[in-house]
Amino acid sequence: MSKGIALTDSELEGKVVAGVDTHADTHWLCVLDERRRVALSREFPATPDGYEALADAIGDPALCAAVGVEGTCSYGAGLTDALTARGFRVLEVLSKKKDRRRRRGEGKDDGIDAERAARDVLAADGTSVPKLRGGWVDELRSLLVARERCVSCAVEAHAAALSLARTAPEEVRRRWEGMSQERMMGAALGIEEGAASALERALLALARMWKAARDEADALESLMRRVLEERCPSLLAIYCLGTVGASELAVAAGENPGRLRSEAAFAMLCGTSPIPASSGKTSGRMRLNRGGDRRANKALHTVAVRRMRYDPRTRDYVERRMSGRRALSKAEAIRCVKRYIAREVYHALMHPKDVGERVDRLSLRKARKSAGLSQTEAAHALGVSPSTVSGFENGRCESRMLAERYSAWVLEGMPMGVENPESDS
């Protein structure tokens, strides 16, 4: 049983509990009476009038302990808003996987699922406070979805162009052989439409599609960064966390991150918490968490990999955890790093305007220029991209760790490193 929000005896005494199985066109309501018997089980249309009828069927909000709703951010979003406006306490209920709800001897239909949702509320099994909707996090989610489609479109356009070039006659194939994506699509954009063959016309069309998708993806990412800078700059201040990753973590937590009990709950949500795997003589063993929000987990993983490459403290920590009597595997050590990053992210979400102590960017910039170093050279030494250094010096990028590293680098006499900068996602 997964932990959820437990209702006290005083909250349940003399009150009914309801559960709703939501769908695109209809919702099924099940109400359990004070003795936890099924008092009502029926279907309602997924329309504003249906929401009102469903709320009336539950009764007085003061006599209902809670309503468990599946999919509060999808099929049940409208119902959740309607019930909350009527004064009901709504809890999100996890939709069980098929293998859990279709065990031998256990049935499956809308009424059974609605009753299970109500009993999950009683058992505090996987229940949580629903995410707020209609705010800046919803804006980020919309922009993320659109950007992902644009990126996929660009990738597919390049793959199609590459496939056409590789299957073309030998003299044509050699012309496009060994080119990078940008070089190939740039060359295809230069094809003259009037004198083009059928193959070249197809490549030109795919190149135009690729460029349009890339331009739209960049524009959407700029909008996402603008939203984050205005509403949660503390996320952008986390070292090695880019705009897309910060957006994915904000969407995972929701506009009301306080609904999560603690940073440990946020780590569990992101799939970075350790899972006990001890048995018999094997004790103290932990395994990787394969659950949680995998998009958020990917964002934390990207930050961890970048820090392992550029941050000496992270490298030292990973080497320390992978050596000794209780040495961890590399995947387990990365999981530990991600857990610490999740703690930073949770603090940033709970304190969205906290970007740390301000540094004198102008003096750092003057020191770099007086040493005759370009932003690209500074980026190589600091292990970040030139655009990150530019944004930091101009006040567009907040990063506590970068501020510390930049200041220490200047104090050390600005020694030059040999690492290549990594672009920010």
Side-chain angles (χ1 to χ4, degrees):
M1 178 184 296
S2 57
K3 295 181 180 179
I5 297 178
L7 302 180
T8 63
D9 292 339
S10 60
E11 291 175 325
L12 290 169
E13 186 178 0
K15 296 181 179 180
V16 301
V17 175
V20 184
D21 181 35
T22 60
H23 298 279
D25 300 319
T26 61
H27 299 327
W28 195 287
L29 169 69
C30 177
V31 180
L32 304 181
D33 63 15
E34 297 85 347
R35 293 174 179 255
R36 308 313 167 210
R37 300 170 301 189
V38 176
L40 172 69
S41 183
R42 55 171 291 202
E43 190 177 54
F44 295 85
T47 61
D49 291 339
Y51 303 154
E52 293 298 321
L54 188 150
D56 292 339
I58 298 174
D60 186 353
L63 299 178
C64 178
V67 182
V69 179
E70 287 187 1
T72 57
C73 288
S74 55
Y75 288 144
L79 177 63
T80 300
D81 293 341
L83 291 176
T84 303
R86 289 279 294 265
F88 288 95
R89 181 180 183 182
V90 179
L91 297 178
E92 181 168 14
V93 177
L94 295 178
S95 179
K96 297 298 184 291
K97 293 182 178 179
K98 292 181 180 180
D99 58 348
R100 277 202 60 182
R101 66 186 183 188
R102 293 186 181 177
R103 292 174 181 170
R104 183 175 298 175
E106 188 172 339
K108 163 72 179 81
D109 64 25
D110 294 344
I112 292 174
D113 286 348
E115 181 181 350
R116 178 195 52 75
R119 297 199 182 279
D120 281 353
V121 171
L122 290 171
D125 185 5
T127 54
S128 60
V129 177
K131 295 179 183 178
L132 293 179
R133 300 191 315 118
W136 64 275
V137 173
D138 251 13
E139 294 177 8
L140 284 180
R141 184 179 64 82
S142 301
L143 295 172
L144 266 174
V145 170
R147 181 189 177 276
E148 181 181 356
R149 291 299 94 205
C150 289
V151 172
S152 297
C153 181
V155 170
E156 291 169 4
H158 172 252
L162 193 61
S163 176
L164 289 176
R166 284 176 175 172
T167 56
E170 182 65 23
E171 63 276 5
V172 178
R173 185 177 64 82
R174 282 200 304 267
R175 176 186 171 189
W176 304 99
E177 199 172 43
M179 288 187 176
S180 64
Q181 180 178 154
E182 284 74 14
R183 187 181 171 193
M184 177 182 180
M185 302 310 278
L189 284 170
I191 295 174
E192 294 185 8
E193 187 172 353
S197 64
L199 174 61
E200 291 175 330
R201 184 64 184 82
L203 291 175
L204 176 59
L206 290 170
R208 288 173 175 172
M209 185 189 305
W210 174 85
K211 186 178 186 306
R214 290 278 293 261
D215 291 344
E216 282 296 331
D218 291 343
L220 290 168
E221 186 172 341
S222 298
L223 288 175
M224 289 157 54
R225 187 169 190 88
R226 198 178 307 163
V227 172
L228 287 168
E229 288 173 345
E230 179 183 349
R231 307 307 295 264
C232 193
S234 59
L235 269 181
L236 295 175
I238 296 176
Y239 184 58
C240 290
L241 182 59
T243 302
V244 176
S247 301
E248 289 173 335
L249 290 166
V251 170
E255 195 159 346
N256 50 334
R259 69 193 184 92
L260 303 170
R261 294 187 302 272
S262 63
E263 68 172 59
F266 178 70
M268 175 68 80
L269 174 66
C270 296
T272 60
S273 58
I275 303 296
S278 301
S279 180
K281 295 182 180 180
T282 303
S283 62
R285 179 176 176 271
M286 298 289 178
R287 66 172 177 85
L288 298 177
N289 189 342
R290 304 296 183 185
D293 188 320
R294 304 315 295 175
R295 289 178 181 270
N297 187 279
K298 178 184 176 183
L300 294 176
H301 185 84
T302 301
V303 176
V305 170
R306 287 179 178 175
R307 289 189 181 183
M308 287 169 60
R309 182 176 181 182
Y310 294 123
D311 183 29
R313 292 182 298 178
T314 303
R315 286 199 296 265
D316 293 343
Y317 173 79
V318 171
E319 290 174 2
R320 193 164 62 248
R321 294 306 303 264
M322 293 177 63
S323 60
R325 187 173 63 87
R326 301 190 66 177
L328 301 178
S329 66
K330 186 173 182 179
E332 291 171 332
I334 292 176
R335 201 277 310 161
C336 294
V337 174
K338 287 155 67 175
R339 177 63 180 86
Y340 283 115
I341 298 170
R343 178 179 299 170
E344 289 183 53
V345 172
Y346 180 76
H347 181 274
L349 291 167
M350 296 300 294
H351 306 87
K353 301 295 184 179
D354 181 13
V355 293
E357 184 179 352
R358 299 279 181 173
V359 298
D360 188 355
R361 303 165 189 267
L362 185 59
S363 63
L364 295 177
R365 183 179 181 181
K366 286 182 177 179
R368 173 184 62 77
K369 285 189 170 183
S370 63
L373 298 176
S374 66
Q375 289 182 342
T376 300
E377 292 171 321
H380 276 269
L382 296 171
V384 295
S385 65
S387 61
T388 300
V389 173
S390 175
F392 176 76
E393 291 183 348
N394 295 322
R396 299 191 309 272
C397 171
E398 295 287 350
S399 174
R400 288 186 290 269
M401 190 174 292
L402 180 57
E404 294 173 1
R405 293 186 64 181
Y406 204 145
S407 300
W409 179 62
V410 171
L411 290 175
E412 292 169 1
M414 290 173 280
M416 293 304 299
V418 296
E419 296 176 330
N420 292 324
E422 185 170 1
S423 62
D424 196 16
S425 68

